[in-house]
Amino acid sequence: MKAPKSLDKRVVMGRVAAPFGVKGWIKIQTFSEAIDTLTDFADWQIGKGDTWRTFHVLSVNVHTKVLVAELAGIHDRDAALALKGLEIAVPREALPAAAENEYYWSDLVGLQVVNTQGVAFGTVSELLESGAHDILVVGNAPQRLIPFVGHVVKAVDLAAGTIEVDWEADY
């Protein structure tokens, strides 16, 4: 699962997985911890790259462990199919503040990762969900996969733009 990322003050919260039925509803793959987080927002931005469009959400429901939604202006399966694969974002300022020692993935992407010996590993490019815990994807040559768990991640300093990890350079 790809991590949500900040795009011009947007936070990607999911993606359109597929059409749902024949009346324009869409099935959503959410990137948030709770499947129903997107139900809190009346409008979604849907797109990718530099092309985004705002849609008013007419109805959104949890349906058999998946989120489905009806959007204004999307009235048939073909229109819903045209959205398949696009990302769903909300304005960053619409999100509540994260609890202490909790972080939005979008806030971690781009931070510099340094181990406790001062070795710089590069920046976080994305996060992955493995089921057991989240994983930081760091650098590109070599790329490191670092578990985002308490005994590995020693400090996150959003203001300084750094994450300190107890991770050896040769792992």
Side-chain angles (χ1 to χ4, degrees):
M1 181 180 300
K2 192 172 181 179
K5 57 188 176 233
S6 269
L7 297 167
D8 301 330
K9 300 187 182 179
R10 285 183 211 103
V11 176
V12 175
M13 302 287 289
R15 73 173 185 85
V16 178
F20 182 77
V22 296
K23 294 186 178 184
W25 284 62
I26 56 173
K27 187 185 303 185
I28 299 156
Q29 175 188 8
T30 61
F31 297 154
S32 56
E33 191 172 353
I35 193 171
D36 63 349
T37 301
L38 278 168
T39 64
D40 296 336
F41 303 94
D43 295 302
W44 296 344
Q45 296 173 16
I46 297 180
K48 212 170 216 174
D50 293 331
T51 307
W52 291 84
R53 215 171 122 198
T54 300
F55 287 90
H56 181 68
V57 180
L58 299 175
S59 184
V60 61
N61 303 303
V62 176
H63 179 74
T64 318
K65 298 184 181 182
V66 70
L67 197 64
V68 295
E70 177 185 21
L71 305 174
I74 306 298
H75 302 293
D76 60 35
R77 186 173 181 82
D78 290 338
L81 185 60
L83 300 177
K84 182 178 177 182
L86 297 180
E87 296 174 326
I88 300 170
V90 297
R92 176 64 173 101
E93 63 273 6
L95 296 171
E100 187 175 341
N101 293 321
E102 290 188 7
Y103 306 95
Y104 288 109
W105 281 11
S106 61
D107 293 339
L108 301 175
V109 172
L111 296 186
Q112 292 288 326
V113 178
V114 178
N115 75 2
T116 54
Q117 292 81 35
V119 177
F121 291 152
T123 61
V124 177
S125 60
E126 66 179 301
L127 283 91
L128 304 173
E129 183 180 346
S130 71
H133 53 265
D134 299 332
I135 298 171
L136 298 168
V137 179
V138 181
N140 56 10
Q143 185 179 65
R144 290 184 169 82
L145 303 177
I146 302 173
F148 193 75
V149 294
H151 67 278
V152 174
V153 176
K154 296 304 179 187
V156 175
D157 187 339
L158 295 176
T162 60
I163 299 174
E164 181 183 27
V165 296
D166 185 7
W167 199 253
E168 296 298 322
D170 59 353
Y171 284 178

